[in-house]
Amino acid sequence: MQKICIIGLGYIGLPTAAVFARAGYDVVGVDVNEKVIELLNKGEIIIEENGLPEVVKEAVESGKLRASLEPEAADAFIIAVPTPVHADHTANVDYVVSAVEKIVPHVKKGDVVIVESTIPPRTIDDVVAPIFKEAGFDPEKDIYLAHCPERVLPGRILIELVENARIVGGLTPEAAEKAADVYRRVVTGDILVTEAVTAEMSKLMENTFRDVNIALANELAKICGVLGVDAHKVIELANRHPRVNLHQPGPGVGGHCLAVDPYFIVEKAPAEAQIIKMSRDINNSMPDYVVDQIVRMTSDIERPAVALFGLTYKGNIDDVRESPAIEIVEKMIENPRFDVRVHDPHVRDEQVSFPLASFEEAVTGAHLIVVLADHNEFKELDQETLAAKMDRPVIFDTKNCTGLQSGSGLTVHKIGDLRRLS
């Protein structure tokens, strides 16, 4: 096996292409975005990810990685396209279907076809395999069809693509082994072979586990707000128990995984997935909760200037997909009472539909700063600088990340400790 065709050059597909090229495969990456293709063929990228620019540049210069708008014949095909949800929270697998249909004319008997996109249970069996069958293939004998979900953390993708264990689920046992062989050349972690539906469900439950636990922490924060208790201290003490690991509350859950994947389970078993659905509802309620607290904190000011710090769903990345911070910004902008300034050093103007401000523009004359992402830049905010530049130095830290404390002219509220507002 020498050549791999990867469909989708986003936050997962591009690093995956770079890692396989670095391992010696001939890799052609396919995307519908002409700008992405043009830049990649120059050895350049638009994604912010540690170490990725250097690996991509080296792979392109070596001739092992190139980009194209159309698929090509290869020995293995990897599909890494988005799987968003519809307005009713049902899975939208249109991108996966489109990617499969595009590669069908280039697939030959004996090829390996791997879907890395996160998909609802039975998508390989009930959606992908029938496309190949309709094209004249026997999906259980002519090709090796498998699901190998990505399970990496933004900011550490290049490391975790190699070191993390990979789950490989095949339509048949033979397909699982053939797909596993593709990864064995690059992955140092364990290769865990299973059937496709189990791999699909395992990936969904990894993210659902975290979503449910974050919902528990967010509900705790709301309860502590009513009772006048510091939820952060409660979590710290409870986690001293050897079998307790409460997560941290925040402004909501974002990203293309945690905020989406649980719905794929709910869709398939709505009557049974009660806790999963309720957790989604709790986490989805947090942007409104944050806005309500902002209103409370500025109730005595006629036109408060509010600086919203951070748009990404987690710190030190540029990914704003499903970010609760975006929802909070939009809700604030809709309210004419507020003078809203938005600042994020990791986000580009073309990524959002509203203007971005520099640090100076956002802070100067502000009555309130709301920290919505745990970027390193926000962890290093200087108390004296904020106190000097703001009109009324109040900080609302929804990520509990700044380390700022009330005093020296500054008032600090945290998402799980709103006792000063009581």
Side-chain angles (χ1 to χ4, degrees):
M1 183 171 293
Q2 297 298 324
K3 184 177 179 181
I4 297 179
C5 181
I6 296 180
I7 314 299
L9 293 174
Y11 288 95
I12 299 301
L14 181 55
T16 299
V19 166
F20 275 108
R22 184 175 61 184
Y25 285 104
D26 293 319
V27 180
V28 55
V30 179
D31 202 276
V32 296
N33 189 324
E34 293 185 11
K35 182 179 179 181
V36 168
I37 299 301
E38 180 183 348
L39 287 175
L40 183 56
N41 283 328
K42 295 178 182 178
E44 302 172 11
I45 64 174
I46 60 174
I47 294 173
E48 181 178 333
E49 177 61 39
N50 292 334
L52 186 58
E54 296 80 6
V55 176
V56 166
K57 188 173 188 297
E58 181 180 344
V60 171
E61 291 179 348
S62 71
K64 287 295 183 180
L65 174 62
R66 58 188 176 82
S68 172
L69 288 168
E70 296 294 334
E72 299 178 6
D75 303 305
F77 295 83
I78 296 176
I79 294 172
V81 296
T83 45
V85 291
H86 294 293
D88 63 356
H89 295 141
T90 57
N92 180 353
V93 296
D94 291 351
Y95 296 115
V96 173
V97 169
S98 177
V100 173
E101 290 174 343
K102 283 187 175 181
I103 67 171
V104 164
H106 306 277
V107 173
K108 60 186 180 298
K109 289 186 177 181
D111 284 352
V112 178
V113 178
I114 300 167
V115 177
E116 283 204 3
S117 306
T118 305
I119 47 181
R122 294 201 57 83
T123 299
I124 293 294
D125 291 76
D126 298 344
V127 178
V128 178
I131 295 175
F132 283 101
K133 188 173 184 179
E134 187 176 338
F137 290 94
D138 182 338
E140 294 189 0
K141 296 179 180 179
D142 295 339
I143 58 173
Y144 301 105
L145 180 57
H147 176 51
C148 180
E150 59 83 12
R151 52 209 314 239
V152 294
L153 181 70
R156 287 178 47 85
I157 291 179
L158 290 179
I159 296 171
E160 298 198 354
L161 279 175
V162 174
E163 296 182 359
N164 285 5
R166 296 302 296 260
I167 301 171
V168 182
L171 184 65
T172 64
E174 295 78 14
E177 285 298 336
K178 287 289 186 179
D181 285 342
V182 174
Y183 292 97
R184 288 188 173 111
R185 189 161 157 183
V186 297
V187 173
T188 60
D190 293 335
I191 305 292
L192 310 173
V193 176
T194 184
E195 61 270 14
V197 67
T198 302
E200 291 164 340
M201 196 66 182
S202 296
K203 164 64 178 180
L204 298 177
M205 281 308 299
E206 290 172 11
N207 290 326
T208 298
F209 169 84
R210 294 183 60 205
D211 190 55
V212 169
N213 277 276
I214 293 169
L216 180 62
N218 284 333
E219 188 166 90
L220 170 65
K222 289 182 176 182
I223 293 169
C224 287
V226 172
L227 300 179
V229 182
D230 181 353
H232 303 290
K233 191 65 177 178
V234 171
I235 292 170
E236 177 188 346
L237 295 175
N239 282 350
R240 295 296 295 271
H241 189 289
R243 290 175 294 281
V244 174
N245 183 24
L246 290 169
H247 287 38
Q248 295 296 318
V253 173
H256 188 57
C257 293
L258 269 66
V260 175
D261 295 355
Y263 286 123
F264 295 177
I265 300 174
V266 174
E267 176 186 348
K268 294 295 184 178
E272 292 75 19
Q274 296 295 306
I275 292 175
I276 296 172
K277 175 60 167 61
M278 189 179 298
S279 297
R280 281 280 73 236
D281 292 342
I282 292 170
N283 288 333
N284 284 341
S285 76
M286 293 308 292
D288 280 328
Y289 181 76
V290 169
V291 172
D292 288 345
Q293 307 316 309
I294 294 172
V295 171
R296 291 176 65 197
M297 292 175 193
T298 59
S299 60
D300 60 331
I301 303 173
E302 184 176 348
R303 182 163 169 76
V306 179
L308 302 175
F309 273 26
L311 293 172
T312 60
Y313 74 89
K314 70 184 296 292
N316 305 316
I317 62 171
D318 65 348
D319 193 345
V320 299
R321 291 178 298 173
E322 312 295 334
S323 175
I326 298 291
E327 184 178 346
I328 291 167
V329 170
E330 291 172 345
K331 289 178 181 294
M332 290 293 295
I333 290 175
E334 288 173 0
N335 191 330
R337 176 174 166 253
F338 293 102
D339 170 14
V340 179
R341 300 97 173 266
V342 184
H343 171 64
D344 191 315
H346 293 263
V347 174
R348 303 178 300 279
D349 290 327
E350 61 267 25
Q351 290 180 264
V352 293
S353 59
F354 42 78
L356 299 177
S358 67
F359 173 81
E360 290 290 332
E361 291 168 338
V363 171
T364 303
H367 299 96
L368 174 67
I369 292 175
V370 184
V371 178
L372 299 171
D374 52 344
H375 296 319
N376 286 342
E377 291 88 343
F378 303 154
K379 295 177 182 178
E380 299 166 358
L381 289 172
D382 180 70
Q383 190 145 337
E384 293 182 2
T385 299
L386 297 179
K389 290 182 178 295
M390 296 177 68
D391 247 21
R392 187 173 74 173
V394 180
I395 311 297
F396 181 23
D397 184 355
T398 73
K399 300 293 286 187
N400 193 28
C401 69
T402 64
L404 298 170
Q405 300 293 330
S406 292
S408 302
L410 203 66
T411 299
V412 179
H413 302 289
K414 297 180 181 179
I415 189 76
D417 185 11
L418 299 173
R419 289 173 294 176
R420 290 174 179 271
L421 291 177
S422 301

